[in-house]
Structures are given as C-alpha cells and as structure tokens.
Amino acid sequence: MERPSVPAVKKRTVTPARVALHTFLILTCLMTLAPLLWAVYASLRTYEDTSVNGYFSIAKSLTLENFAKAWDIGDLPHFYWNTFLITVPALIITLLLSSMVAFGVSRFSFKFNLLLLMIFTAGNLLPQQVIVTPLWRLYRLIEVPEWISDSGSLIDSPIGVVLIHIAFQSGFCTFVLSNYMKTIPYELTEAARVDGASVFRQYWQLTLPLCRPVLAALATLEFTWIYNDFLWALVLIQDGDKMPVTSALQNLKGTFFTDNNLIAAGSLLVALPTLVVFFVLQRQFVGGLTLGSTKG
C-alpha cells in the first residue's frame, strides 16, 4: 500500500525587496523603543553615577531607589486620584453619548441623518488650541455651586476639564461606532421591534452588546488620549493640587538643578496606567481594529 504523498513545503524566496522591508521594520521598531529603553536605563542609575560618568556610559550599579523617591516626592497617589476624577467620567460619558448618537444615525433614516453625523465628525477637524481663549472666558462666566468649584465657575474645576474632553472626543467615537453599527444586520432590529422592544431596549440590550469589541478598542484609545492630556488641565485648572498626574513631574524638578534620573523614573510611573489598560484590553483592542476588514 502506497503512502500518501506529503505536499512539499514551498520555501519563500529571499529577495532584496523582502530584506529591505524587514530591515526597515526592525530599524523602525528599534527607533520607537529606544527612548523608552533609555528612560528605563536612566531611571535605574543614580544621579552621582551619571554626573560623574555621563549618561552615555555603562552603569556602575542599578537601583530602584529613584522610583521610590519619585513616588514620594511627586505625591503620585494624590495626582493619580485627580486624573481618575477626570479620565473615568469623561471616558464613560463620551462612549455612552457617542453610542446613542451613533445608534440614531445608523439604525434610523431621517432627513438630517448624514448632516448630524458630519457635524459630530467636523468637531475633530478643529484644532483645540484655537478655542483656548474664548473657552476660558466662557468658563469664567458660567457660575456653578461652590461644592463643584471653589472659584464659583467652571474654571479650576475637574468638571470643566471633563466637559471639554467629552466635546472633543465624541465626534471620533460617534464616527467609529456608527460605521460599525451599520454592519449589524437590520433584521435584528426589525425582529426586536416586532417583538415589542422599545427603542431604548433595542439600543441597550441588542445593539450595545454586539458593539463590545469596538467599544473596548475605543476605550483603550480614549483612555490614553484623555489620560495623557495636559493642555486643558493647564489652561482650566489654577490650583496645583487639582492638576492631573502629568503635572506631577514638575514637582520632581529642583530649584537649582534637575535630576533627570528621577524624572525618568517618575515618567515611567506616570505612563504605567496606560500600559496596564492596553495589556488588559489588548485582545479586544486588536479585534476592534480589525473589525470589518474582511467585509466586502
């Protein structure tokens, strides 16, 4: 009895173009990782070591002391909490409102359907720096109770920063969610409507569960963007104790000299939450980016 023939494995031919492509990708990866790796290396060295031997030298010893000092001197737990009060509400409200608008423009047909989507999307084309001055003056005129802001206005209040993040991030989220919701078969909505489901139930119990991958991808992106923002906190918050964690690095600078090793350690600690969120939602993030790539 003859054995079935095993198909020969086709070997990939190594061409100059393939070699050039892989070389380019490797160099790009190294260039991207080089600042991060150098920051890690600098954070593990002492100030005395780098001041004597320079930063471009082999370390005599490595220590985690800079991380402990940055945690204490920068008062990072306090500033982490300030960032939490801004990032989490802005993220949740942005995704909630954007999903509602996306549901309306993607699942229902009305006269100004496309115009409404264009208005939300056009907001992302406006540079944020353009409205700094008029927005600051507007915030000064909006009076709020003292339990919301000590200044009596939206200035120097985390709520003011949350509102501007919602305004700028809703357009992008609405655009992405509406495009994804259009790929959901209309028959599902029609079947739910025939069964007596209300519009809110169609949105909350039918559409949103199907949008979990794209919501996870947007949550990862939006968390990173809002968490890393420093412009609006710098403009709208005057009290240093209410600033987000990105401002805590200023506390690590001395009056007469700057310990760059300490700042490198503090920068890594500040960036840690974004890395944690990305690794936790990595699978959903990658899946959300590839959604619809195979749909013709």
Side-chain angles (χ1 to χ4, degrees), residues 136 139-158 160 236-239 242:
W136 188 86
Y139 271 30
R140 292 287 298 178
L141 297 176
I142 300 178
E143 297 182 358
V144 296
E146 291 186 0
W147 62 271
I148 295 180
S149 175
D150 298 336
S151 63
S153 65
L154 286 178
I155 292 294
D156 204 24
S157 171
L236 301 177
I237 295 181
Q238 299 175 347
D239 189 351
K242 297 180 181 179

Side-chain angles (χ1 to χ4, degrees), residues 147-295:
W147 62 271
I148 295 180
S149 175
D150 298 336
S151 63
S153 65
L154 286 178
I155 292 294
D156 204 24
S157 171
I159 296 180
V161 184
V162 170
L163 292 176
I164 193 62
H165 282 310
I166 294 173
F168 270 101
Q169 302 300 333
S170 295
F172 173 75
C173 293
T174 300
F175 176 76
V176 175
L177 285 170
S178 62
N179 286 336
Y180 177 76
M181 289 182 182
K182 290 179 182 179
T183 65
I184 300 177
Y186 284 94
E187 290 77 9
L188 295 177
T189 305
E190 294 176 356
R193 189 180 299 113
V194 170
D195 291 339
S198 62
V199 173
F200 181 79
R201 191 173 182 181
Q202 297 172 31
Y203 157 75
W204 188 258
Q205 295 185 350
L206 178 63
T207 306
L208 273 192
L210 297 176
C211 295
R212 287 178 181 175
V214 68
L215 286 174
L218 284 175
T220 307
L221 290 174
E222 293 298 324
F223 179 87
T224 304
W225 291 340
I226 298 175
Y227 179 91
N228 289 333
D229 178 76
F230 182 64
L231 171 66
W232 291 116
L234 183 65
V235 172
L236 301 177
I237 295 181
Q238 299 175 347
D239 189 351
D241 290 336
K242 297 180 181 179
M243 296 289 282
V245 72
T246 49
S247 66
L249 297 178
Q250 295 291 331
N251 299 335
L252 303 179
K253 297 177 63 176
T255 304
F256 301 103
F257 79 98
T258 300
D259 188 349
N260 293 318
N261 305 77
L262 185 63
I263 293 180
S267 301
L268 294 175
L269 290 175
V270 169
L272 187 60
T274 58
L275 297 177
V276 172
V277 170
F278 174 78
F279 285 117
V280 170
L281 300 177
Q282 181 180 11
R283 180 177 300 179
Q284 291 82 0
F285 176 72
V286 176
L289 292 180
T290 57
L291 287 173
S293 59
T294 59
K295 297 181 182 295

Side-chain angles (χ1 to χ4, degrees), residues 2 69 79 112 133 152 199 225 228 276:
E2 296 182 358
K69 291 174 60 178
F79 290 99
F112 301 103
T133 301
V199 173
W225 291 340
N228 289 333
V276 172

